[in-house]
Amino acid sequence: MNLKKFWPNKTLAWKDWKNSGLLFALFFGFATYVTTLALQNIITIYLRRGETLPEGHYWHGFQILAARLSSADPLVGIGLVLFTVALAAMTVGQERDRETLGLLLAMPYSRRDILFSKVVVGLGQILIIVGVNALLMTLLVWVNPDVPFPFGTPDIWGWALHSFLVLTFVFCFTVLIATVSGTTLGNGVLALIFLFFPAGLYALLEMNAYYWFISLGEYAHPPYWIWRDLFFNIALLATVPAWVIDFNALGKYNPVYLYGALVVLSAGAYALARFLFAKNPLENNGEVLVFERLESIFKVGVVVCFALLGGPLLTALAGIHVPGPLVLSLCYLLAGGVTWFLTNRLLEWRRAA
Amino acid sequence: MNIVVHGLTKAFRENTALENINLEVPPGTVFGLVGPNGAGKTTLIKIIMGLLLPTRGFVSIGGRSAHQDPGVKSKIGYLADYQRYYPGFKVNDMFRLYRESYETWSPERFQELCRVFDLPENAKVKNLSKGMRTQLAIILNLAFRPALLVLDEPTAGLDPVLRRQFLTILMDEVAENGTTVFISTHNLHELERICDRLAVIHQGRLLFNESLEDLKHKVRKIQAAFENPLPPDILQKTGVLNVEQQGRVYSITVQDGIDELTAELRTFKPLFLDFVDISLEEIFIHRMGGEGYELKKILAQ
């Protein structure tokens, strides 16, 4: 068995590490600030207070941190996902942005070597970020035996494994998007749309259903929580893996199955990305064509989503608390029409550029 | 290392960039490709390098496809029309990237090239001028002693001294290692110095593909002076590409049948009759003009 297949080319890996070094440092800094440094800070505050809590009671500072580490803190979650998406979107996108893909492809490396190195380096960086912080937090827990932590070493490593697997999926999925999209920014935006789309669309449909109930006289006026829930779902970083695992969207399955499915999905996303990148059916002098081939589908999708969002929003902005079916339909048409017009102009501008 | 291009067509949506290109570059040959901007030169080079896939036809390098078999690229040096590097890299980092990527990297050759092109090793590549980037590309692509060099406008951005040095280095490379060179340029004078074979590409079609020796042998310029004007029919014979007359002196560019025409001209008792050197540009202008293309216009585009 040739083990070299499972190891990236060291020159390519060095190059990829060097190119993503700055983003890795920022990612590492952010993750360390919100985990290890936060824990150290809370320990310091706790010790300074000198407070003794009864058996079985824990200081709220530790409980907040525990919630954060179990991915229930939207800001931390969205931060980690955004950094991961940026790291993955850069893999192929940055080579296109800087037009260095030609330089690389003229060298004696296969497209598979090139992508494999990028994925291994990216996942290695995520592993270092998660692993080093888990190790540092474990040390902090060990050197403070008198502090009553509401979590132990197994919890810390469990959260680390959870984060690594979720971020691995996000990374591999974004790499897949990057092989069929254009620049780093385009890859990132497209990946985020797809990652948030299922949860976002669910919330959007739910909100519109309530609006129609109102319109048909089931409710007196739109409850404020319709809008609150829509944005709460998005703010909670309701990406597909988080939705499935953190919120048990599929029911109380054995986590081993869920994590197993996540690993399989990540591997599948990478395999598909590798296939598409190796086949290179999509590039035209560096310009990626697949988006254009799927352009009409994307355009209709964007128009439908913005009509669903804009229709109820327009009625709310117009101060119509109980919109009739005709008004609501007109608002859909107006929001959809404006989006259609703007999308076409945007695409024309992009082509001209 | 030879290049074979067979029935190559490349279409970008409605635009056909290359149409049924056939050519062969034998090992150790310097092959020049001439054409205006947008003629399809860079597209052809990108397909040869495996960066783009052809719509139809195939390209093989030493019997292998650069796209399907990337290992073949370990023997190919490639200078793109504009040098793109990783902006965070220093010149030294680029040296390392190439040194570790090419097994045939020669430290001695690298030192020789560094003596010719004096680049600041600790400078960031993003701070290099266009000319310096080209110099860096030359060092990187010659230091591993490639069997094939694919050059797309390689002297763009170089000053005349460096341009001359580069061409000298290129000729040494060919003489010492039998390197095959595929070079695309606008500059016919440069090609004349170094090429064995030339092709002209225009609007995606190969108009012309011949060896320089054949061209110079086939197309000659006769300069002769006569006491009396020559009869017009003698200047309208097949093979006469161009006639210029200044007083009693005629300059006749002729392709094929030179001996017959010379013999006929001698019957008019010329005051003198000489063969003069003809430049590549003149040959092209007359040849392409005969085929309905004006090379000056093609190159001026």
Side-chain angles (χ1 to χ4, degrees), chain A residues 174-196:
Chain A
T174 309
V175 168
L176 170 63
I177 295 290
T179 60
V180 294
S181 181
T183 57
T184 301
L185 187 64
N187 299 337
V189 170
L190 207 56
L192 285 173
I193 286 173
F194 278 108
L195 284 167
F196 284 111

Side-chain angles (χ1 to χ4, degrees), chain A residues 225-243:
Chain A
W225 46 261
I226 293 176
W227 289 100
R228 185 204 65 190
D229 281 3
L230 175 70
F231 292 108
F232 189 65
N233 275 347
I234 295 169
L236 261 180
L237 178 70
T239 56
V240 177
W243 206 35

Side-chain angles (χ1 to χ4, degrees), chain B residues 129-178:
Chain B
S129 67
K130 190 184 176 193
M132 287 168 112
R133 283 164 172 256
T134 306
Q135 291 174 48
L136 176 59
I138 293 167
I139 296 175
L140 295 173
N141 285 284
L142 290 179
F144 65 90
R145 296 201 177 277
L148 168 65
L149 265 169
V150 178
L151 312 171
D152 193 355
E153 296 287 350
T155 54
L158 293 183
D159 63 46
V161 176
L162 283 174
R163 192 178 297 176
R164 186 169 282 273
Q165 273 177 325
F166 168 63
L167 294 177
T168 307
I169 289 169
L170 198 63
M171 294 322 294
D172 289 348
E173 193 72 27
V174 174
E176 285 173 25
N177 304 320

Side-chain angles (χ1 to χ4, degrees), chain A residues 303-342:
Chain A
V303 169
V304 168
C305 288
F306 273 87
L308 289 174
L309 183 67
L313 190 62
L314 282 175
T315 62
L317 288 174
I320 305 167
H321 293 299
V322 187
L326 185 66
V327 172
L328 199 52
S329 302
L330 283 173
C331 287
Y332 283 137
L333 283 174
L334 185 62
V338 169
T339 310
W340 179 264
F341 174 79
L342 290 176

Side-chain angles (χ1 to χ4, degrees), chain A residues 14 18 95 105 109 284-285, chain B residues 12 73 86 93 96 101:
Chain A
W14 164 76
K18 199 169 166 59
E95 301 277 3
L105 290 171
Y109 300 112
N284 168 359
N285 271 347
Chain B
F12 296 126
K73 287 187 271 193
Y86 299 104
D93 294 326
R96 178 178 170 185
S101 297

Side-chain angles (χ1 to χ4, degrees), chain A residues 144-182:
Chain A
N144 292 288
D146 301 332
V147 176
F149 293 104
F151 49 81
T153 305
D155 296 312
I156 291 172
W157 287 94
W159 295 327
L161 182 66
H162 165 86
S163 298
F164 179 68
L165 291 176
V166 169
L167 295 180
T168 295
F169 172 78
V170 171
F171 185 89
C172 290
F173 180 78
T174 309
V175 168
L176 170 63
I177 295 290
T179 60
V180 294
S181 181

